[in-house]
Amino acid sequence: MSTHNAESCVINASLEKVWAAVSAQDFKFWSLVKSTEQASSSSEVGSTREVTFNDGTVQTYRLIEYSLIKNALTYEIIESKPAVNFLSAQHTIQVTRVTANNTSFVQWISDYSADGSEAAVLDAKYKKLEALAELAKSLEN
């Protein structure tokens, strides 16, 4: 069983527009997210944000990498209520310019600790696909 999941899409919007939506880390484009509270600047490595989902789940994320060169950020779950059934997870979202037509390629990768279950990885897969589709819909011209 793999504890790695990567999903991607092409969005009909400029890299600048897509990166602005992703790098805010407020997940406003995602219908599963009710609210996000940030403790500090969204680009400050080590900063945390509390994400409340519509089902009542509350997760705290810590930003562990932020790159303006790569248009990428990586965050990890440091707390979850209710608790998740794996020790750790790191998630990376990267936006790349598609030069042929000024669209954007977005990839969202998750890596779970060895105790990550197949159910957790599959759940992440479908949630990412939904979130990427909603991101695209919110930004496309």
Side-chain angles (χ1 to χ4, degrees):
M1 182 205 68
S2 176
T3 56
H4 173 85
N5 171 255
E7 301 303 330
S8 61
C9 72
V10 174
I11 296 178
N12 186 22
S14 69
L15 177 138
E16 293 78 12
K17 193 172 180 181
V18 177
W19 177 241
V22 168
S23 65
Q25 299 172 70
D26 57 15
F27 301 100
K28 286 184 178 180
F29 57 85
W30 196 4
S31 64
L32 290 183
V33 173
K34 182 178 181 180
S35 65
T36 303
E37 292 183 34
Q38 294 187 179
S40 58
S41 166
S42 63
S43 62
E44 183 180 330
V45 172
S47 66
T48 60
R49 64 218 14 85
E50 186 176 273
V51 179
T52 302
F53 292 86
N54 291 326
D55 69 358
T57 299
V58 178
Q59 294 184 331
T60 303
Y61 299 157
R62 177 175 42 221
L63 185 66
I64 58 175
E65 181 181 25
Y66 187 90
S67 175
L68 291 174
I69 295 170
K70 296 178 184 175
N71 297 301
L73 59 88
T74 301
Y75 62 93
E76 63 185 351
I77 300 172
I78 58 173
E79 185 177 357
S80 182
K81 296 176 187 174
V84 292
N85 60 356
F86 44 84
L87 184 61
S88 66
Q90 291 183 350
H91 308 277
T92 299
I93 305 173
Q94 183 169 13
V95 183
T96 306
R97 184 182 320 274
V98 178
T99 59
N101 56 8
N102 199 31
T103 59
S104 300
F105 176 76
V106 182
Q107 186 171 39
W108 195 338
I109 301 167
S110 297
D111 288 296
Y112 296 86
S113 53
D115 62 342
S117 69
E118 183 176 359
V121 174
L122 282 174
D123 183 57
K125 171 188 176 76
Y126 294 114
K127 285 180 177 170
K128 275 197 225 66
L129 288 171
E130 178 181 285
L132 290 170
E134 291 178 4
L135 174 63
K137 186 176 180 183
S138 74
L139 295 175
E140 288 185 341
N141 301 325

